[in-house]
Amino acid sequence: MLFVLGWSMVGSAVRLPVCGGAFHAATGAALVLLGVGRDQAAAIAIILHLVDFAPAAMFGLFYFLRGDINVARLRSLTSTSAVEHAVEDEKWCWLKAA
């Protein structure tokens, strides 16, 4: 199981220039290497993707809707001035701690 999960995490870190699918390809390849049939490996890869990422997406959506974050606040946090300010504060705190 760790072999398959390791390959699936490597696959999710890879970005393909064409759409997605690296996660599914890596997971399916790991399962095929372990002797699982190609069709069954593809089905398991899709289910594993849902099991891995669906709970995180649901919790994220829940906290997005229930928390004090909204789209306008997210945009302000990712604005150029906010990022520059955060980087400057981080650098100052790092230098201050040293």
Side-chain angles (χ1 to χ4, degrees):
M1 187 68 181
L2 285 176
F3 179 75
V4 174
L5 288 175
W7 275 101
S8 65
M9 291 303 113
V10 168
S12 65
V14 173
R15 298 290 176 235
L16 297 175
V18 204
C19 298
F23 175 89
H24 304 97
T27 305
L31 288 166
V32 168
L33 285 174
L34 293 176
V36 177
R38 289 182 66 180
D39 292 338
Q40 192 174 12
I44 292 171
I46 292 169
I47 298 298
L48 184 61
H49 192 201
L50 289 173
V51 169
D52 278 351
F53 295 104
M58 288 189 302
F59 279 114
L61 181 62
F62 173 78
Y63 285 111
F64 180 76
L65 295 174
R66 299 278 307 208
D68 63 343
I69 285 261
N70 55 30
V71 175
R73 184 158 181 228
L74 283 175
R75 284 186 181 148
S76 71
L77 289 173
T78 59
S79 70
T80 306
S81 61
V83 172
E84 287 173 355
H85 182 66
V87 169
E88 289 171 2
D89 287 349
E90 182 179 323
K91 189 186 329 177
W92 173 251
C93 291
W94 181 77
L95 289 174
K96 193 175 182 181

